[in-house]
Amino acid sequence: MTLTEQILARASGRDRVQPGDNVWVNVDTLLTHDVCGPPAYDIFKREFGEDARFWDGDRVVVIPDHYIFTEDVHAHRNVVALRQMAAEQGLKHFYDVGTPRYKGVCHMALAEEGFNRPGEVLFGTDSHTCTSGAFGMFATGVGNTDAAFILGTGKLWVKVPPTLRFVFEGALPEYLTAKDLILHVIGEIGIDGATYAAMEFDGEAVYALPVHERMTLTNMAIEAGGKNGILAPDEAILDYVRARTDVDFTPVYTRPDAAYQRTWTFDAAQIEPLVAKPHRPDNRAAVREVAGTKLQRAYVGSCTGGKLEDFEAAARLLRGHEVRIPTFIVPATRLVGEQLKTTFVGDESLHDVFVNAGCHIGDASCGACLGGPPDTFGRAQDAENVVSTTNRNFPGRMGSQGAAVYLASPLTVAASALTGVLTDPRDYLN
Amino acid sequence: MLATTSGLAYVLGDSIDTDQIIPARYLVYSMTVPEERAKYGQYALSAVPIEQAGLPEGGIPFVGEGETTSRYAVIVAGENFGCGSSREHAPFALREAGIGAVVAASYARIFYRNAVDGGFVVPCESVENLTVAVRTGDEVTVDPDSGTITNHTTGQTHALRPLGDVAPILHAGGLFAYARQSGMIAAR
């Protein structure tokens, strides 16, 4: 069995499962946030009763992150609804807005707080829940109804997916990041190339990535239609998790009997810095092919592009220079925001690098990745070209129906911010 | 028995993502408070680029200015309908706008699952891509149980794929009804 099959077999109490089996799995953790938590709780109450209790409140993690720094009254009301839910259900894993516990983007916060544990099953009311698969767990996004069902029963039905395997051989060149690798995969198989399937990543270049960078690979599994993304855990993962939780977990590892529906093997050295052109994540082009395209905005942030490693990469190029277009820096979590001030390039903190380069730095949240209310920091305006480290570029995604979004690595975004046109980062690294 | 849906078809292309079906900025609205709920119908499919709205001509808004429901009853779409986010607000918005069935060549899985488990709309898969055989404004009838969509405007009937594993959940009316019928959770 593949990693995904092993986890689903264990979670459903079976010796083995195979692709296509429909099984009921026991859920280890349910994640929700400010957009989907309140309607999921409404459904829970409708179906189980006003006074019903969650199956296990200690397994429910509530991380508001979507619409936080806005004057929108309805957005505020949703946070109030989460607060009420947490109080009624006695939830201990609630990271409330306006308190020292506030985190920011849920997928990053799950990792920081030790909720990503190898071998476990995580569902979340967010399509990028697949991010957590970087830790060798089964993690996927669900809607409000499924979440409400889990809240009442601790179970959910799952169709066991076939596994597609993506191997990156060789060392990763310094001008590439995990973002280039996953844009390469999505361009290769298409926006629905992994629909219903598990995407498993492997190879020297993948395991050379730091833990957080691996999350960028699994994060964008959904952009190819994948049900989940996953990697077998290595020592780096185990050390990371053990440093953040005392909860016992049982990892699964790659087995010789694993049957893959298909395997793709790539040589990392042959991949170029890439973008996904408007308006689809699979609309792949080498940056060199579209170099010179005029830009009006650059954005570094989100669950896939707002990690410390993304800002370190951007700072490599921005240090000592000034951006030519409005450039927005949005740390995924408050911890990442603090690390910007304590992480140095030479004698300059990342924070100072960005300020001195003329960037605008925002508060930790999902920010403008998904547009959000009109007063959202960094939100796209009018008909403009945006280069962004985020994960989606469908029409209107970053808030403006007229905007055209190019998805790219933090190196490419930084190089392009310095010139005001799409720019291959190798032009600056050399 | 699943209900048949008859009425005007609204035709869309490939990979209509959930941000086009219901833009993220509207997700702040309650799905239960009636006057807010109506906004989901009002803004359904409001972010489809206008030239791709209502194929083959395009330029046809799904919901009229100031209205909260659509004159169309059936969505006919190409591949990968509902890709993108996991927002259940997407199939919900289509139902609030008055859609009874979607007939797409294929679906993104979370949208499909949400449509089924929430009992919002019946997500039918067409055997052939029907975005040429059906034009926006054609009169159609979708019969999920017999597996057909009939285009009364052209007189042609087209096959749908079997509902498959999710048929029992669709027939029950959603995940909760299914779980009650099968004894998994207590009946009311």
Side-chain angles (χ1 to χ4, degrees):
Chain A
M1 290 187 287
T2 64
L3 299 171
T4 298
E5 290 156 15
Q6 290 178 64
I7 296 169
L8 293 179
R10 186 200 291 161
S12 60
R14 294 170 182 229
D15 292 334
R16 59 182 304 117
V17 295
Q18 54 186 5
D21 287 352
N22 285 295
V23 296
W24 288 92
V25 296
N26 292 310
V27 179
D28 292 300
T29 305
L30 178 75
L31 160 76
T32 191
H33 52 47
D34 51 306
V35 169
C36 296
Y41 195 41
D42 284 343
I43 297 170
F44 170 83
K45 286 190 164 190
R46 183 189 78 204
E47 296 294 337
F48 293 104
E50 277 293 316
D51 301 321
R53 305 287 297 180
F54 290 170
W55 104 101
D56 185 348
D58 290 352
R59 292 185 176 278
V60 178
V61 182
V62 184
I63 308 178
D65 59 359
H66 274 56
Y67 307 146
I68 308 303
F69 303 103
T70 169
E71 298 300 314
D72 189 293
V73 293
H74 294 99
H76 285 228
R77 181 192 54 189
N78 285 341
V79 174
V80 171
L82 287 184
R83 221 166 264 158
Q84 189 179 344
M85 173 179 84
E88 286 175 6
Q89 298 289 334
L91 303 183
K92 63 181 184 189
H93 305 305
F94 174 42
Y95 297 93
D96 198 359
V97 178
T99 75
R101 285 174 62 78
Y102 175 72
K103 294 292 169 199
V105 177
C106 58
H107 310 297
M108 192 66 213
L110 283 175
E112 290 173 357
E113 294 297 302
F115 292 108
N116 288 344
R117 296 183 291 257
E120 292 197 352
V121 171
L122 167 78
F123 289 99
T125 59
D126 189 290
S127 61
H128 291 114
T129 302
C130 52
T131 310
S132 297
F135 291 78
M137 64 195 306
F138 177 82
T140 193
V142 294
N144 309 334
T145 297
D146 284 351
F149 193 88
I150 293 169
L151 287 172
T153 66
K155 294 179 193 302
L156 194 64
W157 72 272
V158 178
K159 181 183 257 194
V160 178
T163 296
L164 310 177
R165 186 162 168 260
F166 301 90
V167 183
F168 285 91
E169 292 181 334
L172 191 68
E174 58 152 10
Y175 48 81
L176 297 183
T177 73
K179 188 61 169 290
D180 297 293
L181 301 186
I182 191 63
L183 288 176
H184 183 72
V185 168
I186 298 165
E188 200 71 14
I189 67 174
I191 196 173
D192 57 355
T195 298
Y196 289 99
M199 297 174 73
E200 189 174 316
F201 299 94
D202 201 350
E204 183 190 340
V206 167
Y207 280 97
L209 293 171
V211 167
H212 292 158
E213 276 284 272
R214 299 179 197 179
M215 294 166 67
T216 290
L217 297 179
T218 48
N219 174 279
M220 291 186 67
I222 182 69
E223 264 53 76
K227 184 170 206 155
N228 64 309
I230 197 163
L231 281 82
D234 63 356
E235 280 305 314
I237 292 287
L238 298 176
D239 290 347
Y240 184 104
V241 177
R242 286 184 189 125
R244 288 165 177 78
T245 182
D246 295 327
V247 175
D248 277 335
F249 57 90
T250 310
V252 295
Y253 298 100
T254 306
R255 295 199 333 201
D257 68 346
Y260 300 99
Q261 189 175 66
R262 189 172 163 191
T263 296
W264 285 259
T265 303
F266 307 112
D267 177 358
Q270 296 301 313
I271 294 170
E272 292 199 60
L274 298 171
V275 293
K277 295 181 289 180
H279 293 282
R280 285 166 57 137
D282 64 349
N283 199 7
R284 181 183 69 188
V287 178
R288 287 214 190 285
E289 295 175 65
V290 288
T293 304
K294 271 203 182 327
L295 299 166
Q296 283 76 39
R297 179 183 301 262
Y299 188 93
V300 185
S302 85
C303 50
T304 200
K307 317 176 301 294
L308 178 62
E309 291 76 1
D310 296 302
F311 297 113
E312 287 177 320
R316 274 167 65 193
L317 300 191
L318 293 179
R319 184 172 183 232
H321 299 284
E322 280 186 38
V323 296
R324 289 245 184 118
I325 51 175
T327 299
F328 297 84
I329 301 286
V330 184
T333 59
R334 195 141 83 179
L335 176 61
V336 174
E338 287 162 12
Q339 288 168 331
L340 294 184
K341 293 180 177 159
T342 57
T343 306
F344 287 79
V345 196
D347 57 355
E348 223 178 347
S349 73
L350 299 183
H351 181 271
D352 289 348
V353 168
F354 296 137
V355 169
N356 292 336
C359 304
H360 308 282
I361 304 180
D363 293 311
S365 78
C366 296
C369 173
L370 76 164
D375 60 350
T376 300
F377 180 80
R379 193 177 191 268
Q381 309 290 333
D382 309 321
E384 60 178 11
N385 287 340
V386 183
V387 64
S388 175
T389 65
T390 53
N391 44 31
R392 288 198 177 126
N393 60 349
F394 296 110
R397 170 71 179 182
M398 289 188 77
S400 162
Q401 190 69 16
V405 178
Y406 292 80
L407 306 177
S409 80
L411 289 172
T412 299
V413 172
S416 304
L418 290 175
T419 57
V421 297
L422 282 174
T423 301
D424 190 309
R426 286 172 291 189
D427 297 350
Y428 272 84
L429 288 165
N430 294 336
Chain B
M1 281 283 287
L2 291 171
T4 61
T5 303
S6 290
L8 302 179
Y10 189 79
V11 182
L12 294 164
D14 292 338
S15 295
I16 300 296
D17 84 297
T18 55
D19 274 288
Q20 293 177 67
I21 297 173
I22 183 74
R25 63 183 293 189
Y26 303 122
L27 305 183
V28 296
Y29 294 119
S30 166
M31 297 167 82
T32 48
V33 177
E35 59 271 26
E36 290 184 42
R37 188 175 165 149
K39 293 184 187 292
Y40 285 97
Q42 180 180 351
Y43 295 117
L45 292 173
S46 60
V48 176
I50 191 64
E51 67 278 8
Q52 293 158 38
L55 298 177
E57 286 86 1
I60 305 171
F62 177 62
V63 178
E65 190 69 36
E67 293 173 7
T68 57
T69 55
S70 174
R71 58 195 289 258
Y72 301 97
V74 172
I75 303 277
V76 173
E79 304 283 353
N80 200 33
F81 187 78
C83 61
S85 92
S86 64
R87 64 190 69 158
E88 189 162 305
H89 311 70
F92 176 80
L94 295 180
R95 187 193 63 186
E96 292 304 296
I99 289 297
V102 181
V103 177
S106 67
Y107 291 89
R109 54 164 290 278
I110 307 180
F111 176 91
Y112 185 82
R113 188 176 172 109
N114 286 341
V116 170
D117 282 359
F120 297 114
V121 291
V122 182
C124 301
E125 241 176 15
S126 54
V127 174
E128 308 277 338
N129 186 324
L130 298 179
T131 55
V132 172
V134 182
R135 300 168 66 92
T136 297
D138 284 359
E139 281 274 356
V140 299
T141 296
V142 179
D143 184 346
D145 282 321
S146 74
T148 57
I149 173 171
T150 300
N151 186 341
H152 304 292
T153 304
T154 63
Q156 288 184 307
T157 294
H158 308 276
L160 305 176
R161 293 191 193 281
L163 296 169
D165 295 335
V166 300
I169 301 175
L170 282 169
H171 282 110
L175 179 61
F176 281 98
Y178 171 76
R180 288 204 164 84
Q181 278 179 13
S182 58
M184 202 183 156
I185 58 176
R188 294 185 196 256

